[in-house]
Amino acid sequence: MKVRPASRQAVANARFSARNPYPGCTASAPLARAAAERALEIDPDHGEAHSILAALADTVDYQWDLAETLHRRALAAKPVTPIMWFRFVVWHLLPLGRVDEAEAQLRTGLA
């Protein structure tokens, strides 16, 4: 898959803005969301952008069902980066008490 430069820049902007998307730290969420959405306009299959939106759905919006869908979409894309696995496990599965699944996903991500 060839990554377009504009997509790469949009994701870089989203990463910068989403560096700290923990509950209560919502100041950068709109910037991260806009940058990730822009990346998806350029490349609808961009896994990192889906992962960032999933993290925001988990940690800012508490939209667990939406987050699950976005995480699964992100992990189906190529390439899958370690931070994408981290977001899914730490910000989605563990807060929902899905510890066994979190462990299995970590093993898959590390394989």
Side-chain angles (χ1 to χ4, degrees), residues 43-67:
D43 179 2
D45 297 321
H46 199 291
E48 182 72 18
H50 284 292
S51 179
I52 289 167
L53 290 176
L56 293 170
D58 281 325
T59 62
V60 176
D61 304 328
Y62 304 107
Q63 293 180 351
W64 303 105
D65 291 339
L66 173 62

Side-chain angles (χ1 to χ4, degrees), residues 49-97:
H50 284 292
S51 179
I52 289 167
L53 290 176
L56 293 170
D58 281 325
T59 62
V60 176
D61 304 328
Y62 304 107
Q63 293 180 351
W64 303 105
D65 291 339
L66 173 62
E68 176 106 14
T69 299
L70 293 169
H71 280 297
R72 300 262 180 219
R73 199 173 291 158
L75 296 174
K78 298 294 181 226
V80 176
T81 63
I83 191 67
M84 292 162 67
W85 288 106
F86 173 86
R87 289 178 187 132
F88 182 45
V89 170
V90 175
W91 293 342
H92 186 74
L93 296 176
L94 291 178
L96 293 175

